[in-house]
Amino acid sequence: MGFDQHEPQQQRMLAAAMKSARMNVGELWLKYFSLGGEVGEYEVEAYLQGLLSLPVLQRDLLAMAANELIDTSPHGRAPYSDELGSPDGGSPRKEPGSGTQELPEPDSGE
């Protein structure tokens, strides 16, 4: 199907965030489309069910749409792909839920 390493996790967490916010696919898709999303509502539904792979940009637009629809509470946010870890399976490169906040570099002992 072409899944990358973190796509299934990102899909499950998006679905969980939607469920916790009681958001339906139509609401998510409308917001996603308004942000420049390129796939249709049926494709989003298939992605949420784990039946379709989407490119990173489209997945992140879905996460952005969900996060904009969710209350400001830090709980239940959908992760962006760069929050799940480095491509080699290492630790997350950014603080989950921050979108842009970089994690501090380890203290080098200086």
Side-chain angles (χ1 to χ4, degrees):
M1 271 189 162
F3 287 118
D4 72 25
Q5 180 180 2
H6 297 292
E7 185 172 5
Q9 179 184 8
Q10 189 176 16
Q11 175 270 319
R12 285 189 308 274
M13 292 177 77
L14 172 59
M18 289 178 62
K19 183 177 181 179
S20 111
R22 297 183 179 168
M23 181 189 317
N24 67 45
V25 175
E27 292 169 316
L28 175 67
W29 179 81
L30 188 59
K31 183 66 173 178
Y32 158 80
F33 187 73
S34 76
L35 294 170
E38 296 180 353
V39 301
E41 187 173 348
Y42 290 116
E43 288 84 0
V44 171
E45 177 81 37
Y47 168 72
L48 290 169
Q49 293 180 18
L51 302 173
L52 181 70
S53 179
L54 292 177
V56 170
L57 176 61
Q58 299 308 307
R59 297 191 327 255
D60 285 347
L61 283 171
L62 285 169
M64 180 184 290
N67 290 333
E68 288 187 9
L69 292 171
I70 293 172
D71 294 336
T72 58
S73 169
H75 301 290
R77 290 182 53 87
Y80 297 101
S81 57
D82 63 354
E83 294 173 339
L84 297 174
S86 62
D88 62 359
S91 62
R93 296 179 294 208
K94 299 192 182 214
E95 186 65 37
S98 70
T100 59
Q101 183 180 2
E102 298 284 338
L103 287 174
E105 293 295 322
D107 189 6
S108 62
E110 294 178 13

